[in-house]
């Protein structure tokens, strides 16, 4: 069994910062890609940023220059440093990972989501 557990969400004022963390645990052989998605009320879930095992990153245009994704392969953990937060960043943020298990199966996994609210 594989689990993704997120932490670090909360309420922050515009212009503030938050750091999200997501740790994958269980019968993991390797993790190719880890990423963060978000879903605001009434909107579709969208990709925020992702990172490969080789540290190649990809960002949505709306967060470029403000958010930074990183990962610690030894800890199976991905981070999202969010700076200069705006009210439009308010959403539930979900961790996502493509994981190969110890049994050789490869699947996409999701975390339970963590709320980020940017408001004065």
């Amino acid at each position: 069994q594989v689990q993704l557990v997120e932490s670090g969400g909360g309420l922050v004022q515009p212009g503030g910062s938050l750091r999200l963390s997501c740790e994958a645990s269980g019968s993991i052989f390797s993790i190719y890609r880890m990423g963060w998605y978000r879903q605001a009320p009434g909107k579709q879930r969208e990709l925020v940023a992702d990172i490969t095992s080789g540290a190649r990153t990809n960002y949505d245009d709306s967060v470029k220059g403000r958010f930074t994704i990183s990962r610690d392969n030894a800890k199976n953990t991905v981070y999202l440093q969010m700076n200069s937060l705006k009210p439009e960043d308010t959403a539930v943020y979900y961790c996502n990972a493509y994981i190969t298990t110890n049994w050789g199966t490869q699947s996409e996994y999701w975390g339970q989501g963590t709320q980020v609210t940017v408001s004065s």
Side-chain angles (χ1 to χ4, degrees):
Q1 191 75 355
V2 172
Q3 279 189 315
L4 300 182
V5 178
E6 301 129 334
S7 61
L11 172 65
V12 64
Q13 292 186 342
S17 298
L18 281 175
R19 188 191 194 209
L20 305 183
S21 300
C22 171
E23 180 180 6
S25 63
S27 300
I28 298 170
F29 177 74
S30 66
I31 306 176
Y32 169 62
R33 173 187 167 279
M34 302 186 82
W36 291 95
Y37 287 72
R38 66 186 179 187
Q39 187 167 20
K43 295 188 176 181
Q44 289 188 332
R45 190 172 297 188
E46 61 179 8
L47 175 67
V48 176
D50 60 19
I51 183 169
T52 67
S53 55
R56 187 175 61 204
T57 60
N58 173 54
Y59 295 91
D60 183 78
D61 286 345
S62 66
V63 306
K64 283 181 180 177
R66 300 188 298 123
F67 291 10
T68 302
I69 190 169
S70 61
R71 64 188 281 178
D72 184 331
N73 291 330
K75 295 181 179 180
N76 290 332
T77 299
V78 63
Y79 306 95
L80 186 67
Q81 178 66 43
M82 305 185 292
N83 298 329
S84 302
L85 282 160
K86 304 175 181 180
E88 51 263 44
D89 295 316
T90 296
V92 177
Y93 283 70
Y94 295 91
C95 177
N96 171 274
Y98 284 88
I99 295 174
T100 299
T101 67
N102 290 332
W103 294 279
T105 58
Q106 187 176 48
S107 300
E108 183 179 24
Y109 294 87
W110 291 91
Q112 78 285 359
T114 185
Q115 177 70 47
V116 171
T117 303
V118 184
S119 175
S120 55

